[in-house]
Amino acid sequence: MLLSVLSAAGSDPDDKSTKPPTLEDAQERATNAASWVEQNWSTWLSIGLRILLIVAIAVVLRVLIRRAITKLIDRMNRTAQAVDGTALGGLLVNVERRRQRSQAIGSVLRSVASFVILGTAALMILGTFQINLAPLLASAGVAGVAIGFGARNLVTDFLSGVFMILEDQYGVGDQIDAGVASGEVIEVGLRVTKLRGDNGEIWYVRNGEVKRIGNLSQGWSTAGVDVTVRPDEDLEKVKATLTEVGETMAKDEPWNERLWGPVEVLGLDSVLLDQMVVRVSAKTMPGKSLGVERELRWRIKLAFDAAGIRIVGGLPLQATEESAPDPSAGVAAPSAYASSTSPQSLAASPIAPPPNLSK
């Protein structure tokens, strides 16, 4: 208590730091703040208008570009639906494949457009505040390199998927051989492609692992059938029958659209002692070769049965004349034991008893 009284008695009454603020001090501070605002309001207004203009331009540009991409994707889908089910549609991809491909392309383009536009706008706004962007860009570059090394497989899969979709290397419904797996494509993604194998299994193939692709469903396919007949059949009759089968099939629905060329009899593929192989081939719509081959085999079998042409593996040919039975067939072969002087008979004869020596 004594110390507090002494300190209070020894304080200077003229010290402004311990005096409460007066009205003159408040007016002075308000005047200084007003003058500072008056000196800098134009700078603030300029920065605010610049930021507002950058944001407005970025938003409008993003909306316009995304709308243009959406219209482009819709036009691609309408074109695919117009040609689906026609002969021209066989050259192109089906509706589902075009839809998935266009959606993937549209998603990638929209994401890239949004990233570029918004990233550029953010950098311009930071530059408006007089912020040095060099350290920021350098740090972003280092971080990007580190992420690229850490997730290089993911980046490789993504980039490979983008180029596969843009180049239309394969699509939904295609039969492909990807090296690591083969089958029918059921889904195409930016990172993974799903294949349906021959036995029904589903393969998940990373796009970055695919080094080569064999597409069996693009352009056109070839249906080949090997007809095996007996070597004594009339080749001209066989050829005429096969030609008639091909001409009839080319006129029937729906094979007239699936066949893109006449059914050709290429000739003898091989000639052996017990059979001849005649090769039949036709150019078909992509992905329809197996169905055409099955139908050809069906029609060829029916036509051969009607024409009396027998294929290898049929009933054996009946003999025209019955040969007389061999009279010696029921006679048994002579035995060596029939002769008493043969070595076999002598060896098998009993040994005579020795003479009586007692007499």
Side-chain angles (χ1 to χ4, degrees), residues 235-349:
L235 289 178
E236 295 297 331
K237 183 178 180 180
V238 172
K239 183 177 180 180
T241 305
L242 293 176
T243 303
E244 183 180 358
V245 169
E247 292 175 354
T248 305
M249 184 176 176
K251 298 177 183 178
D252 296 341
E253 294 284 347
W255 311 108
N256 54 353
E257 291 187 358
R258 298 181 183 179
L259 286 172
W260 286 5
V263 179
E264 300 179 355
V265 182
L266 302 180
L268 285 175
D269 192 65
S270 64
V271 179
L272 303 176
L273 293 176
D274 57 345
Q275 64 183 13
M276 295 185 301
V277 179
V278 182
R279 182 72 175 178
V280 180
S281 177
K283 185 180 293 186
T284 68
M285 183 183 295
K288 304 298 181 180
S289 59
L290 293 179
V292 172
E293 290 176 359
R294 296 188 182 100
E295 183 67 17
L296 269 177
R297 294 188 185 98
W298 183 279
R299 292 173 179 257
I300 289 173
K301 179 62 171 63
L302 295 178
F304 276 14
D305 291 343
I309 301 174
R310 295 184 177 180
I311 61 175
V312 172
L315 296 176
L317 295 176
Q318 299 294 331
T320 56
E321 296 182 358
E322 294 183 358
S323 57
D326 188 3
S328 63
V331 179
S335 175
Y337 296 96
S339 176
S340 60
T341 60
S342 63
Q344 290 82 1
S345 297
L346 294 177
S349 60

Side-chain angles (χ1 to χ4, degrees), residues 4 6 10 20 31 100 112 117 141 169 180 215-216 250 255 268 283 289 304 349 352 359:
S4 60
L6 292 176
T31 303
Q100 290 196 7
V112 171
I117 293 173
Q169 298 179 6
V180 294
N215 196 324
L216 308 179
W255 311 108
L268 285 175
K283 185 180 293 186
S289 59
F304 276 14
S349 60
K359 294 181 180 180

Side-chain angles (χ1 to χ4, degrees), residues 40-186:
N40 296 282
W41 74 269
S42 59
T43 304
W44 293 351
L45 182 61
S46 175
I47 293 175
L49 292 177
R50 190 177 302 175
I51 294 174
L52 183 61
L53 182 62
I54 292 173
V55 172
I57 293 176
V59 171
V60 172
L61 187 61
R62 181 174 178 268
V63 170
L64 292 177
I65 291 180
R66 290 175 66 91
R67 185 173 299 177
I69 293 173
T70 303
K71 289 184 178 181
L72 177 63
I73 299 305
D74 293 340
R75 183 177 301 177
M76 292 173 59
N77 292 332
R78 288 197 299 268
T79 304
Q81 294 177 359
V83 300
D84 185 61
T86 62
L88 180 61
L91 290 173
L92 303 176
V93 289
N94 53 33
V95 175
E96 180 64 20
R97 170 178 172 177
R98 290 294 293 267
R99 185 186 65 82
Q100 290 196 7
R101 178 171 176 261
S102 60
Q103 286 183 353
I105 294 175
S107 177
V108 172
L109 292 179
R110 282 190 288 267
S111 300
V112 171
S114 299
F115 177 77
V116 172
I117 293 173
L118 297 180
T120 304
L123 293 177
M124 294 178 65
I125 290 174
L126 292 178
T128 304
F129 288 105
Q130 303 298 326
I131 297 177
N132 188 10
L133 300 179
L136 181 62
L137 295 177
S139 301
V142 173
V145 171
I147 294 175
F149 276 109
R152 58 184 180 274
N153 291 333
L154 182 62
V155 175
T156 302
D157 296 340
F158 180 81
L159 293 178
S160 300
V162 169
F163 282 107
M164 286 179 182
I165 293 175
L166 292 178
E167 296 173 359
D168 194 19
Q169 298 179 6
Y170 55 83
V172 175
D174 284 353
Q175 193 77 18
I176 68 170
D177 181 3
V180 294
S182 61
E184 181 183 357
V185 180
I186 59 177

